[in-house]
Amino acid sequence: MALQDEDTVSNPSNNPTLSDIAEIDLSRRRAMQGGLAAAMAAAFGLPAFTWAREAQIVPSAGLGGGGGPLLGFGGVAVSTDDLVRVPAGYEVQVLYAWGDPISNGPAFAPDASNSAEDQAIQAGMHHDGIHFFPFPKLGSGLSSTHGLLCINNEYTDDGLLHVGGMDPWTAEKVRKSQNAHGVSIVEVRLEQGAWHVVRPSRWARRITGNTPIKVVGPAAGHDLLKTAADTEGRRVLGTLNNCAHGRTPWGTYLTCEENWNGYFSKETGTPTTDEARYGINKGGFGYRWHEHDERFLADLHPNEPNRFGWVVEIDPFNPRRIPEKKTALGRFKHEGAMVTLANDGRVVVYMGDDERNEYLYKFVSKNKYKPGLRHANLGLLNEGTLYVAKFEAGAAEGDQQGTGQWLPLIHGKLGLTAENGFNSQAEVLVKTRQAADRVGATMMDRPEWIAVHPETGEVYVTLTNNNRRGSSPASSNKVDGTTTAGSARPPVDEANPRASNVFGHIVRWREAGGNAAATHFEWDVFVLAGDSANADPSKQGNVNGDDFGSPDGLWFDRDGRLWIQTDVSTSTLNKGDYANLGNNQMLVADPATREIRRFLTGPKGCEITGVVGTPDGTSLFVNVQHPGEPASERSDPANPEGVSSWPHSQGYGPKGRPRSATIVIRRADGGVVGGA
């Protein structure tokens, strides 16, 4: 495939294209205020009521805002069953599981005998971030019964993926593992009371670990991105460890490369300081790709790791458009990319770096979003300013609130100079962690998913856990960027107030003036997760409602309910501090009252991650990742169902091995999920 844009339109009329109409999917906050909403509705011939809710930006009297009760369901109990459980009056349907064909193609083989070529056109493994892109309805807005699902496929369990697991380990198995990574795009439709994947579909496709991807933005073409196979530094094969996600006002999908370092191995010698800062070492995470694909051998190809750790933009409505790695958004372990708009129309992207003691980031575009001019908007993430957050204590010690500022990561400022190892803006972006170390950002307890309230504009982030916080001997990320990834032992601070933070917490902030592009903010701790029955008071948390730990996934629905998903490691699930909390789960919070109620519990050995609803709120898509995962995180090929047989245990598909899958949750009465 030629690495060039093919974003052409053969229909010369002035009518809006499907890609243009997709542009109206996101804008739920500043883009949808008053006249702008009306103008967009008129431009696309949509009725005014389509935008009625978006046009109302309700001012908040304080952090959390106002409003009536949001939670209209009875909470479910903790569970250790091998099933997805939801409240009474709700139904669960398994829609799309690892190995299912994305369109026409081979069916899933429960004995793992599908080839690497099969896997390239089947659902990838370990579903994570997800977004629903609705098709337009003729004359009546956006469909809640027909659209495209973009689904991240984060990583692989090679004990399940291959016949015999990793014994023997072959080039074919490496290719199959690479093809099980990336992103799946499938067409889905609701018919006769059930959702199904449309097959065949012209929209269905896979982006894998071997798909050609362009590099764009300030670091494109820099020497640090050049390799023997790509002497121009502008083309990368593949996207890896696709964790959380984002979506843009112009209708594209952002997939985020998280633990990409684990695929590389430094076989000889000591890792360089730059390699150590990102966690590159001998053996990586045990994927062993370097044994049959030498580009993952950091000794021979030291710049190949610099080509991962980016946000990748994908156009779901144009299969011919090459995905793009957006270097202006920085290189780190991206958990997600939450997109909103500033008061003046500039695009703002919030991002977390998911590792202990890492940072929160914000990107503000140089140029403004132009509603209805999709092609012009496609480059908005190529230029702008990347910031990192510094949290400061409030007036009273221990009140878990305060102020903060966004520190710009701009070459030549705040010590980001050639004397300190940053010779250009491109190097600042390739070495984003080191730049954040230099400017004095606040180390956080694994910042993961970020969500923006659709009315108040307040921003929430999950801080999953950090067992090194407050431990001895105390240390912080060194200002010269030489700290090995995740190794520091920072003292507690106001924004990260617990030592040995095994349960995690959620922090929220409000930008100055309600403007997402502001450089100052106010923050507070929304909730300290925990087990109220724990014998250690510091681990009991302050949850107003159902206990939980290790918050990860985060999403606001159209009515302002905050959906929280948990990722308790399988090494601690249902034991020790987590003995009382059951399998991983999904809860719902009312931001005004802080009440949190458990909505869903997952099967054994899984993580619950990725959630999105249809425009009318009556269908909720949720991902169940790695059911059956053992504490070692790699299954025994001789006993693949040793922990779980889900989704077969839920009535879907053949026995043989557990499979990550997307489920759909609907109310039996057809009402809004989570509402009264």
Side-chain angles (χ1 to χ4, degrees):
M1 179 185 294
L3 192 66
Q4 55 184 307
D5 287 345
E6 297 183 20
D7 196 19
T8 57
V9 178
S10 60
N11 185 343
S13 76
N14 291 323
N15 294 328
T17 66
L18 179 59
S19 295
D20 292 328
I21 294 175
E23 188 168 341
I24 64 180
D25 179 42
L26 167 67
S27 308
R28 283 207 164 299
R29 188 184 167 228
R30 297 297 180 188
M32 292 294 99
Q33 295 185 63
L36 179 56
M40 290 184 68
F44 295 110
L46 302 178
F49 71 81
T50 302
W51 305 108
R53 175 168 181 79
E54 288 86 340
Q56 292 180 343
I57 307 299
V58 179
S60 168
L63 285 171
L70 288 179
L71 312 185
F73 61 92
V76 300
V78 297
S79 171
T80 58
D81 295 340
D82 197 27
L83 292 168
V84 173
R85 296 200 177 279
V86 292
Y90 284 86
E91 301 170 344
V92 175
Q93 177 196 347
V94 180
L95 175 65
Y96 175 72
W98 158 53
D100 287 347
I102 59 170
S103 183
N104 286 345
F108 172 72
D111 61 357
S113 61
N114 287 117
S115 67
E117 288 71 24
D118 291 345
Q119 181 60 80
I121 52 176
Q122 293 175 319
M125 212 173 197
H126 286 13
H127 299 27
D128 205 306
I130 184 173
H131 191 68
F132 177 74
F133 289 87
F135 284 112
K137 293 193 299 183
L138 282 176
S140 57
L142 298 175
S143 177
S144 289
T145 62
H146 187 203
L148 301 179
L149 281 180
C150 292
I151 301 168
N152 286 347
N153 301 119
E154 185 179 7
Y155 65 105
T156 54
D157 181 338
D158 291 299
L160 295 178
L161 184 60
H162 314 290
V163 175
M166 301 183 80
D167 185 19
W169 191 233
T170 65
E172 164 74 7
K173 289 182 177 180
V174 169
R175 285 193 297 271
K176 186 176 182 182
S177 183
Q178 291 171 342
N179 287 342
H181 284 71
V183 177
S184 299
I185 300 174
V186 291
E187 182 181 355
V188 294
R189 186 188 291 273
L190 175 64
E191 292 180 323
Q192 298 180 338
W195 284 88
H196 68 275
V197 177
V198 177
R199 301 185 178 96
S201 170
R202 60 174 294 196
W203 310 102
R205 60 174 164 146
R206 286 289 321 284
I207 292 93
T208 74
N210 287 305
T211 298
I213 299 178
K214 290 175 62 176
V215 182
V216 298
H222 191 273
D223 285 349
L224 288 173
L225 273 72
K226 295 177 180 178
T227 65
D230 175 25
T231 57
E232 294 185 358
R234 296 180 182 275
R235 169 185 156 167
V236 176
L237 289 181
T239 180
L240 301 174
N241 213 262
N242 303 83
C243 197
H245 70 292
R247 82 277 200 229
T248 68
W250 48 96
T252 58
Y253 183 70
L254 303 178
T255 184
C256 300
E257 299 177 333
E258 190 195 15
N259 290 309
W260 49 270
N261 61 301
Y263 301 90
F264 292 90
S265 181
K266 179 84 168 186
E267 288 293 292
T268 59
T270 302
T272 67
T273 55
D274 288 346
E275 289 171 336
R277 188 65 186 85
Y278 282 94
I280 295 171
N281 53 38
K282 185 173 183 178
F285 293 168
Y287 287 106
R288 297 173 58 189
W289 289 5
H290 64 282
E291 296 178 18
H292 295 285
D293 187 344
E294 70 170 36
R295 70 185 173 113
F296 293 96
L297 187 59
D299 312 69
L300 293 180
H301 302 282
N303 282 351
E304 190 69 27
N306 296 337
R307 294 146 65 84
F308 293 88
W310 305 101
V311 172
V312 183
E313 185 175 24
I314 298 169
D315 190 342
F317 293 103
N318 188 349
R320 295 181 301 171
R321 186 173 180 83
I322 303 297
E324 296 180 346
K325 297 202 177 189
K326 300 290 188 178
T327 63
L329 275 63
R331 172 176 166 265
F332 43 90
K333 296 185 180 181
H334 285 273
E335 178 71 24
M338 177 64 208
V339 183
T340 188
L341 294 176
N343 290 355
D344 63 0
R346 286 180 293 166
V347 179
V348 177
V349 187
Y350 293 107
M351 300 167 287
D353 185 350
D354 182 13
E355 192 159 19
R356 291 173 299 194
N357 313 318
E358 291 303 334
Y359 307 115
L360 275 169
Y361 297 88
K362 177 171 78 172
F363 169 84
V364 181
S365 68
K366 175 182 177 181
N367 297 314
K368 298 177 182 179
Y369 169 63
K370 298 177 181 178
L373 298 178
R374 189 170 195 267
H375 196 83
N377 293 324
L378 287 170
L380 284 177
L381 301 185
N382 296 347
E383 294 182 273
T385 302
L386 183 65
Y387 298 86
V388 66
K390 182 176 182 179
F391 287 78
E392 298 161 337
E397 182 178 353
D399 62 359
Q400 298 176 13
Q401 61 182 346
T403 60
Q405 57 180 310
W406 292 103
L407 306 174
L409 299 180
I410 299 175
H411 180 249
K413 296 185 177 182
L414 301 180
L416 302 180
T417 62
E419 292 78 9
N420 291 323
F422 303 96
N423 294 300
S424 65
Q425 184 62 23
E427 291 195 16
V428 169
L429 296 169
V430 172
K431 299 186 289 187
T432 303
R433 281 186 168 181
Q434 297 94 315
D437 293 341
R438 172 64 61 178
V439 303
T442 300
M443 293 181 287
M444 307 296 287
D445 289 350
R446 287 186 59 198
E448 299 215 33
W449 289 57
I450 298 173
V452 177
H453 194 289
E455 292 181 339
T456 68
E458 292 159 0
V459 192
Y460 293 65
V461 61
T462 49
L463 300 164
T464 297
N465 50 52
N466 185 356
N467 61 1
R468 287 180 177 265
R469 174 72 63 178
S471 59
S472 297
S475 63
S476 297
N477 289 341
K478 297 176 183 177
V479 70
D480 62 2
T482 60
T483 306
T484 298
S487 65
R489 299 177 181 273
V492 297
D493 57 40
E494 289 293 308
N496 303 274
R498 289 193 292 190
S500 187
N501 185 13
V502 297
F503 285 108
H505 58 297
I506 298 174
V507 166
R508 62 180 171 183
W509 68 91
R510 166 178 265 184
E511 301 280 15
N515 182 12
T519 57
H520 290 80
F521 58 90
E522 297 176 343
W523 65 268
D524 75 339
V525 174
F526 177 67
V527 63
L528 295 172
D531 176 8
S532 57
N534 196 293
D536 182 347
S538 71
K539 296 179 180 178
Q540 292 174 0
N542 60 3
V543 181
N544 176 18
D546 293 329
D547 291 333
F548 68 97
S550 295
D552 189 346
L554 204 62
W555 175 70
F556 272 109
D557 66 19
R558 62 175 201 161
D559 297 319
R561 281 176 286 269
L562 181 62
W563 297 77
I564 303 167
Q565 300 173 311
T566 71
D567 179 17
V568 182
S569 168
T570 49
S571 63
T572 58
L573 199 64
N574 291 313
K575 64 183 69 171
D577 285 323
Y578 280 89
N580 298 326
L581 297 186
N583 298 342
N584 275 303
Q585 56 194 270
M586 182 166 71
L587 309 98
V588 191
D590 181 334
T593 66
R594 303 194 194 213
E595 181 186 0
I596 297 176
R597 199 173 296 176
R598 189 178 300 109
F599 180 86
L600 174 152
T601 57
K604 295 181 177 179
C606 82
E607 172 189 347
I608 301 298
T609 179
V611 53
V612 69
T614 51
D616 66 3
T618 62
S619 293
L620 201 66
F621 301 96
V622 178
N623 282 333
V624 178
Q625 188 186 92
H626 63 67
E629 181 177 86
S632 66
E633 298 187 2
R634 185 163 287 136
S635 296
D636 179 359
N639 187 23
E641 293 185 299
V643 177
S644 170
S645 62
W646 194 90
H648 178 75
S649 61
Q650 199 96 27
Y652 183 88
K655 280 185 63 64
R657 52 201 63 222
R659 304 160 67 189
S660 296
T662 300
I663 62 174
V664 190
I665 302 169
R666 302 179 70 225
R667 279 171 54 161
D669 64 5
V672 173
V673 177

